[in-house]
Amino acid sequence: MAAATISIEQDQFCCSVCLEVLRDPVTIPCGHSYCLDCIEDYWNRAKQKGQYSCPQCRQEFHPRPLLSRNTVLGEVVEKFQRSGFPDEAQHLAKPEEVKCSVCTLRKSKAVKSCLVCSESYCAAHLRVHEERFHGKAHKLIPALEQSREKLCPQHDKLLRLYCRTDQQYVCSQCVKDRHKSHDAVSVVDERAMQQKKLQETSLKSVQKLKDTEKELRYVVRYIKHSTEAAVEESERIFSRLIRSIEKQSCEVKEVIRVQERAAVSQAEELLEKIQREIGELRRTHAELEKLSRTEDHIHFLQKSKSLHFPTKTVEMPNTDALPYMMYKTIRGALADLKDSLDQTLEREFTRISDKVVSLKETSNKNTSEKTKATAKDTDTSYDSEPKTRADFLQYHNDITLDPNTANPYLSFSDSRRGVTTRSEPQPYPDHPSRFTSWAQVLCKAGMAGRCYWEVEWAGNGGVSIGVCYKNMGRSGGGSDCKLGHNSKSWSLDCSYAVCSFQHNKESVTVAAPCSNKIGVYLDFRGGTLSFYNVSDTMVLLHKVKTTFNQPVYPGFWVGLGSTLKLCSHQA
């Protein structure tokens, strides 16, 4: 009798879960067969707990069926495994090729790798992957070899999970054993979380660097502006010193000229006397010549007695004492003055240099401490402003008015600390810095850094208290020359009826009434200008935030009939 020939395909002996040849096959009540581990893992999943169904026909079983090895099917599978499958050889991976991560016994050649799952799949397992994650963003790339670093050294499985408790990469078997009940997530979720953290850290770092860059730009501009203000003030002081020396030089010259005129006058008087006597002597000499020609001896003797020839000489001025006084004494005194002035200048220059060096060291120290501090602490320290009047007075500047900028109708008092508008112009000389139309005046020194000053005012005409750039217009009655009415100036207009803030032709009404003493606080680096009613609590009237690009000068407008006075530190 001829033996029966049975044709069996390889797919008939493959588990529909893992798509591999059945291992320890079991048959569930619906008749479908699976690997023992595959069907148990399928029913143990969180989504399947309490529901026991067939992965193929979806038939549900209650209670959970007992699983036992299908001996007959297992023997058939083993027999076919020994004989081998005719089509399987062509799909098996060669040593140099990438193997499928899911295949267990005989590794098939992988065709694709999933970046999300971190696994490589053969054609069969790739179909399962696509069916399972259909519509989800799982990026597939040409198959990549999984290095040993990505495999669990204990279970030789892919490290697809991350244990946050132990901060280790683990496989699915590790989660069931040593890392059971630990906080374990997929490497995809962990990567997403870590990537998000890194991106947030990167953004914070970039923002911090931008803030630091902005801060350094402020520092550079602040240093330049402060230096410009200091140089301008030094030029002003040295110009005054030079003018004072020139004045003293003129006075010394005048003293010398007075002495010269007195001595010359005395000598000229003597010279005139000598010249008169010379004239008399010449007349006498002429008479003598005439008398000498007479032959009458008696007549000669009688007339000769009347001839007078002076024998007393004129007392000459002391020509040695005068040059000595004018040259020796004055030269010595001036030399002593020069030496004394040189010593004073050298001593004061050394003192100023020491202060500048000390200031620089303090600044460097503060910068170092500021660098070590946290950003929050730095911001808190920098943004903090004075609260009480005592706090503000730490930044007080003893400012004085510049007469070269004063409108001709302004009159000064109290050593140029007070100013009043008059109905008649004052005899001021022409100057390019003078306001020609508006009754305004500026202070001599520009402000940079943290500065504070106080002003008292009175009168029905009102006043304006503010700051401006040096290049604000001076000539004419337009808004470009009026304090607070252009982009180069800011002012608080004060009157008994209303108080308002002015800048660049925009006006903001201040709710609180102005008192007769106004405090002005400038934070040049921070870009703030604040006006206060002066008291122990310092009531804020208005505060403006801006960016100053050059030193600002305190400026004032004084209405007709009003007075304004700069307060000293003790006020």
Side-chain angles (χ1 to χ4, degrees), residues 50-318:
Q51 298 180 4
Y52 309 106
S53 60
C54 174
Q56 289 180 273
C57 66
R58 304 301 179 185
Q59 181 179 346
E60 295 186 358
F61 311 107
H62 297 285
R64 177 172 176 166
L66 295 175
L67 300 175
S68 59
R69 189 173 186 274
N70 189 329
T71 306
V72 176
L73 181 58
E75 291 176 354
V76 174
V77 171
E78 289 177 4
K79 185 180 292 185
F80 271 84
Q81 283 180 329
R82 286 194 297 269
S83 62
F85 299 105
D87 296 333
E88 185 180 6
Q90 62 180 343
H91 298 293
L92 294 178
K94 297 178 182 179
E96 68 275 9
E97 294 177 331
V98 180
K99 298 178 179 60
C100 177
S101 304
V102 183
C103 296
T104 54
L105 296 178
R106 296 188 177 189
K107 295 288 187 180
S108 298
K109 176 184 176 182
V111 293
K112 293 287 183 179
S113 294
C114 177
L115 294 179
V116 178
C117 301
S118 301
E119 289 186 341
S120 300
Y121 301 102
C122 61
H125 286 111
L126 181 61
R127 288 195 298 272
V128 176
H129 176 274
E130 291 179 344
E131 292 175 359
R132 180 179 301 175
F133 300 106
H134 178 69
K136 296 184 178 180
H138 280 231
K139 186 174 181 180
L140 297 174
I141 61 174
L144 295 176
E145 182 65 61
Q146 299 290 344
S147 63
R148 295 300 302 175
E149 296 177 354
K150 296 181 180 180
L151 297 178
C152 177
Q154 184 176 0
H155 303 103
D156 203 30
K157 289 187 176 182
L158 189 67
L159 299 173
R160 299 180 56 185
L161 303 171
Y162 180 78
C163 178
R164 291 176 175 172
T165 305
D166 295 334
Q167 296 185 354
Q168 293 179 358
Y169 299 99
V170 296
C171 67
S172 57
Q173 189 62 38
C174 292
V175 174
K176 296 178 182 178
D177 298 339
R178 294 183 295 111
H179 298 271
K180 189 176 182 180
S181 72
H182 287 188
D183 182 14
V185 297
S186 66
V187 291
V188 178
D189 294 340
E190 182 65 19
R191 181 255 176 89
M193 186 190 73
Q194 293 296 337
Q195 184 171 342
K196 183 179 179 181
K197 286 184 177 180
L198 289 174
Q199 289 174 343
E200 291 175 352
T201 303
S202 176
L203 291 175
K204 290 180 180 179
S205 179
V206 170
Q207 186 61 43
K208 188 174 182 180
L209 289 175
K210 288 183 178 179
D211 293 342
T212 303
E213 180 187 19
K214 182 179 179 181
E215 182 82 4
L216 288 175
R217 291 188 185 277
Y218 267 121
V219 169
V220 171
R221 191 166 61 190
Y222 171 72
I223 292 173
K224 289 183 178 180
H225 292 165
S226 300
T227 303
E228 182 180 347
V231 168
E232 183 177 322
E233 182 68 9
S234 67
E235 288 179 350
R236 187 179 67 84
I237 296 299
F238 276 104
S239 295
R240 290 178 59 185
L241 180 61
I242 291 172
R243 288 196 300 269
S244 177
I245 293 175
E246 290 175 348
K247 180 181 178 182
Q248 294 297 325
S249 174
C250 292
E251 292 178 356
V252 170
K253 289 179 182 179
E254 183 61 24
V255 169
I256 295 174
R257 293 301 182 188
V258 168
Q259 296 297 324
E260 176 195 27
R261 288 193 293 270
V264 169
S265 177
Q266 180 184 5
E268 287 178 344
E269 289 179 359
L270 293 175
L271 180 61
E272 290 178 357
K273 182 178 180 180
I274 292 296
Q275 289 176 343
R276 288 194 301 271
E277 291 181 355
I278 290 175
E280 292 292 332
L281 184 61
R282 284 176 179 173
R283 286 191 295 272
T284 304
H285 181 75
E287 290 180 5
L288 178 62
E289 288 290 334
K290 182 180 179 181
L291 188 62
S292 298
R293 289 193 295 270
T294 184
E295 295 180 356
D296 189 346
H297 301 296
I298 296 174
H299 178 72
F300 177 84
L301 293 174
Q302 290 176 343
K303 291 293 184 181
S304 64
K305 292 181 180 179
S306 62
L307 297 178
H308 176 68
F309 295 95
T311 57
K312 186 178 180 181
T313 60
V314 176
E315 185 178 353
M316 297 296 295
N318 188 351

